[in-house]
Amino acid sequence: MSLTSRAASALLSHLRMGLSRAVLALSALFFLSAILSAGSAHAEKTLRVVMHSDVKILDPIWTTAYIVRNHGYMVYDTLFAIDANGEVKPQMVDKYDVSADQLTHTFTLREGLLWHDGQPVTAEDCIASIKRWGAKDATGQKLMSFVASMEATGPSSFVIKVKQPTGLVLVGLGKPSSNVPFMMPKRVAETDPNTQISDFTGSGPFVFKRDEWKPGDKAVYVKFDKYKPRSEPASGLAGGKVVKVDRVEWRAISDHQQAINALLAGELDFIEQPPHDLLPLLKADSNITLIDVNTMGNQYVLRPNWTAKPFDDARIRQAMIYAFNQEDFLKAVIGDPEYYKVCKSYYPCGSTNYSTKGMDGLLESNFKKAQDLLKEAGYDGTPIVLMHSTDLQVLTNLAPVAKSLMEKAGFKVDMQSMDWQTLVARRAKKDPPSAGGWHAFITNWIAADIGNPIFQAFMNSACDKALFGWPCDAEMEKLRNDYALETDPAKQKAIAELAQARAAQVVTHIPLGQWFQPSAMRKNIAGVLPAPAPVFWNVEIK
Amino acid sequence: MFAYILRRLAATIPVMLVVAVLVFLMLRLTPADPAAIIAGDNANAEQVAEIRKRLGLDQPIMTQFAIWVTKLAQGDLGESFFFKKQVVELIADRLEPTVSLAVLTIIIAAMIAIPLGVIAAYKQGSWLDRIVMGFSVLGFSVPVFVIGYLLIYVFAIQLNWFPVQGYQRLSQGFGGWLQRLILPAFTLSVIYVALIARMTRTSVLEVMNEDYIRTARAKGQTEMKVLVRHALANAAVPIVTVVGLGIALLIGGVVVTESVYTIPGLGRLTVDAVLARDYPTIQAVILLFSLVYVVINLAVDLTYTIFDPRIRY
């Protein structure tokens, strides 16, 4: 054996011994840590959850982001809430009365409601909270425009007087999605609506553990022992909010595949939004259950920019609604018909205001009609700047479908790819599309946000005061106002139908179909409630 | 030497200034708007404008830069747009996972790569040499995330030896800390094993024919002593350089590895901050990374004096 061989052998032998020792030592450590962690797992019931996003902001009035709304439902309570049937029910409120002339609304809070710091919830707290929400939220602003006064009539009762009868009082205070009118202590609610709150005291069923909040890692909520649930069974966002776990941890796992791996391995209990293309992995595992929490689902929409030529001409916008069909969009993203539904309505199929009024002949890929409209409007081949979001799986495949259908109709389309955050910034610009502006983009709304003409932010047609896209239509604004003032549900629906017909006629936006997002959880998790927002009361670990 | 260190440290100031200007300008030139992201989907133009004003983003870029640099000079890295926490607090919170991952990775890489490189040099041209060099090419070629997913599939999902994801603080127990870091560290170390093994092989090959090696053997020293005390010690300078560069390059590696393994370190903080256009956090993290890079280079230069007494500063 040569010298070099001997040296190599000696080194290899050393290595082998070293590795063996290392493996032994590591094995011992793993066993030890496994025993220790197993011991602590039984100490308290912790629900380990991955939400659709990390919680970065903690003020549900300051931002409309859904993840912050979800955080709000953990920490705060609401005066009213909608149940599983979409009906507004009292939540913090015990008694509610409206005067015969429908101008005076009287509220009495339930007894025993406490803030997380042990102080009682008062009427003053609620008035301050409504004011802050009313200054920030679009529905709140509309409601406040009808309000003459808000006054506390006792420690736990208050009165809202309105200038004219409106159905918006309960609809607004029971608004299920962003911005939700969450109740906060007066000292917190008096924070400028444009400044984030820094005190996270709520009166909801969970207490936010600020000291354990690690942005980008996890947010922790513990059961509020002094919370007094309603006596009714939990239903949607309403009813008794009975907490059956000690602690809920929202883990920030941005990689979908890893979140699913962790769920399969038992390191997680619940994933709010697993991507559709990975659902077969979950279905194949007997320890996993898929549940559709948001039973009304979501709706894809295309938003045209009314201020950008040639989309300032209604006929050009109409050409799109004739050229499109929902099935193509839904197949391209969701794929599995189990999770999508063609729904030719501006309101979700299955919702109170669902209707097909004004939708005849639309969304059927009638290219001939679309071409005729373009010709009639004198479309000169100006490229349509279609913003294409590439980093959100639920949106990525939509713009190419739109481009294809629009080109078949005779449009010239300039599809520009970008990440969602760039799109968010760009859609706020009114510059000409050739100078950094835009003509159209596709996004998604959850059903709870589009249930009526007031909630539907894209139906707002108040020109410069409307959302990006800035539709400008006095008739639509009149219909929205009529809806807000109407108190009879049947008449409200009739107005909603007229608003839909108008939206389709002037093309404020185009509904591209309804789809459903199942959540995934391990089989030992029970009691997850179907609701417009994911909530964790009533959930138990078996 | 002290004067040399002072000179080198002084030289970092203009470097950091250039980095600061570049980072600041690049962020402002990207199209996204943090205010629009913060405001959410339902926010109207007025709400976005109000937030922009609150964040000071409505001011001219030069004014924003002046404010930032002035605060920076006072040691104030600012407040995160999103988390409403001081950036220094965010960074301090994320430091431990990243340092843990980086240190463990380098230890694993050095422990595996240096012996492999030495053996490959000794057995030059043999099957062992070819395997080591083949592995090196593979290590360079396969992306970190692919290695990560493969290791997770085999060792976490199939064999159930390690957790799929997550991090446990050292203060919560060494066992759990190590158990959660082993897979990420192995994942990240693959490329450095390849890099260091190749460099070690080349460096050892260069010194093996030197006179002092022959002299050492002639004195009757064991091959192990010849190998470690004479060959490896004299080949150390380029190896240390590569290890040092490796630590600096780890900065890029941890971004991917921390994302794959859900480790709440500086890498994930960077990704989250970039996606959210959280300017103060991005600026601070990149400045920190630059500073680390400069300091590591200085440390590497200083270690030369340990391995080669002929080098003096």
Side-chain angles (χ1 to χ4, degrees), chain B:
Chain B
M1 169 124 66
F2 187 64
Y4 172 77
I5 294 172
L6 279 182
R7 272 202 313 277
R8 285 286 300 269
L9 288 175
T12 61
I13 294 170
V15 172
M16 300 305 291
L17 266 178
V18 170
V19 171
V21 172
L22 282 178
V23 170
F24 189 89
L25 287 179
M26 272 165 45
L27 286 176
R28 266 58 183 186
L29 292 174
T30 53
D33 178 1
I37 298 167
I38 290 170
D41 274 1
N42 291 343
N44 59 31
E46 282 174 12
Q47 290 168 323
V48 174
E50 182 60 40
I51 291 172
R52 199 176 292 124
K53 191 178 169 188
R54 293 265 163 191
L55 299 177
L57 295 172
D58 59 334
Q59 298 184 41
I61 287 182
M62 284 312 294
T63 311
Q64 290 181 44
F65 183 71
I67 293 169
W68 178 59
V69 169
T70 309
K71 283 186 175 176
L72 199 61
Q74 296 164 351
D76 180 3
L77 294 175
E79 189 183 67
S80 161
F81 284 169
F82 286 84
F83 307 124
K84 300 312 284 177
K85 281 188 168 189
Q86 289 298 312
V87 173
V88 70
E89 194 186 332
L90 282 176
I91 288 176
D93 199 43
R94 303 298 189 97
L95 213 51
E96 186 201 298
T98 300
V99 171
S100 300
L101 179 59
V103 169
L104 197 59
T105 300
I106 285 296
I107 290 173
I108 290 171
M111 280 175 61
I112 296 173
I114 294 174
L116 280 182
V118 173
I119 293 167
Y122 262 91
K123 306 279 279 180
Q124 188 190 6
S126 70
W127 61 268
L128 196 60
D129 183 23
R130 288 172 206 279
I131 287 174
V132 172
M133 289 305 101
F135 171 79
S136 296
V137 173
L138 199 67
F140 280 127
S141 315
V142 183
V144 171
F145 70 90
V146 173
I147 297 167
Y149 284 132
L150 277 174
L151 291 180
I152 288 165
Y153 181 73
V154 175
F155 293 105
I157 296 176
Q158 293 300 317
L159 297 175
N160 207 18
W161 288 2
F162 301 97
V164 170
Q165 49 79 43
Y167 175 75
Q168 180 179 309
R169 299 233 159 221
L170 198 50
S171 58
Q172 292 174 288
F174 179 75
W177 173 85
L178 192 63
Q179 190 184 24
R180 288 181 182 275
L181 270 185
I182 284 283
L183 276 190
F186 263 104
T187 303
L188 196 49
S189 69
V190 169
I191 190 168
Y192 300 105
V193 169
L195 186 71
I196 298 168
R198 282 188 82 92
M199 184 51 73
T200 305
R201 177 183 178 274
T202 309
S203 304
V204 170
L205 274 178
E206 279 178 10
V207 300
M208 282 310 291
N209 294 323
E210 294 290 336
D211 291 344
Y212 53 82
I213 298 290
R214 194 165 55 245
T215 306
R217 282 177 180 153
K219 280 163 66 181
Q221 291 206 337
T222 63
E223 265 314 285
M224 180 56 73
K225 281 186 179 173
V226 171
L227 198 61
V228 176
R229 285 191 188 167
H230 298 282
L232 199 54
N234 281 290
V237 169
I239 297 170
V240 168
T241 309
V242 169
V243 172
L245 281 175
I247 295 172
L249 287 171
L250 269 175
I251 292 165
V254 294
V255 172
V256 178
T257 312
E258 287 180 359
S259 296
V260 170
Y261 286 96
T262 320
I263 296 171
L266 287 173
R268 276 193 67 204
L269 179 65
T270 311
V271 173
D272 290 345
V274 169
L275 289 176
R277 309 299 198 270
D278 190 354
Y279 294 164
T281 308
I282 303 171
Q283 287 161 185
V285 171
I286 291 180
L287 272 184
L288 177 70
F289 284 168
S290 308
L291 188 66
V292 168
Y293 202 97
V294 170
V295 170
I296 285 173
N297 273 305
L298 175 60
V300 167
D301 286 351
L302 295 178
T303 55
Y304 291 167
T305 59
I306 299 168
F307 292 103
D308 190 346
R310 291 168 299 181
I311 298 174
R312 287 279 177 271
Y313 295 114

Side-chain angles (χ1 to χ4, degrees), chain A residues 200-216:
Chain A
F200 309 113
T201 307
S203 65
F206 292 95
V207 179
F208 176 62
K209 293 286 286 177
R210 190 179 190 178
D211 56 332
E212 292 191 50
W213 177 45
K214 307 275 182 202

Side-chain angles (χ1 to χ4, degrees), chain A residues 252-428:
Chain A
I253 302 181
S254 52
D255 186 320
H256 293 303
Q257 181 64 61
Q258 270 299 73
I260 284 170
N261 287 341
L263 185 73
L264 294 175
E267 293 174 27
L268 291 175
D269 300 308
F270 183 91
I271 301 177
E272 186 196 357
Q273 292 185 2
H276 288 84
D277 58 344
L278 295 178
L279 291 180
L281 268 178
L282 295 165
K283 282 181 177 174
D285 193 301
S286 59
N287 293 312
I288 306 296
T289 306
L290 295 178
I291 177 171
D292 201 353
V293 177
N294 177 14
T295 50
M296 285 280 190
N298 309 267
Q299 185 191 70
Y300 286 129
V301 292
L302 180 137
R303 177 69 156 180
N305 181 357
W306 282 40
T307 65
K309 286 184 181 301
F311 275 179
D312 57 338
D313 187 327
R315 291 168 297 184
I316 305 276
R317 299 193 299 270
Q318 285 164 1
M320 279 196 299
I321 203 167
Y322 277 103
F324 289 161
N325 74 87
Q326 295 186 340
E327 187 93 27
D328 283 3
F329 288 96
L330 295 166
K331 269 186 184 169
V333 190
I334 309 301
D336 186 346
E338 186 183 348
Y339 298 114
Y340 73 71
K341 184 173 192 172
V342 170
C343 177
K344 289 197 337 180
S345 165
Y346 277 73
Y347 311 107
C349 281
S351 69
T352 312
N353 287 326
Y354 163 72
S355 167
T356 54
K357 183 161 183 163
M359 303 301 287
D360 289 345
L362 305 178
L363 295 166
E364 290 175 0
S365 280
N366 183 347
F367 297 119
K368 173 74 173 61
K369 175 72 177 172
Q371 285 158 1
D372 290 347
L373 281 165
L374 290 182
K375 195 174 174 184
E376 185 187 325
Y379 174 60
D380 60 359
T382 302
I384 301 300
V385 174
L386 176 65
M387 295 196 289
H388 172 213
S389 163
T390 54
D391 58 332
L392 297 182
Q393 185 261 340
V394 292
L395 297 178
T396 302
N397 292 347
L398 294 167
V401 175
K403 179 177 190 283
S404 167
L405 294 173
M406 287 168 73
E407 285 175 344
K408 283 182 185 170
F411 283 101
K412 190 176 175 186
V413 181
D414 174 13
M415 188 175 76
Q416 298 184 10
S417 300
M418 61 196 77
D419 71 316
W420 176 249
Q421 304 299 7
T422 302
L423 189 153
V424 165
R426 190 164 166 185
R427 73 185 180 188

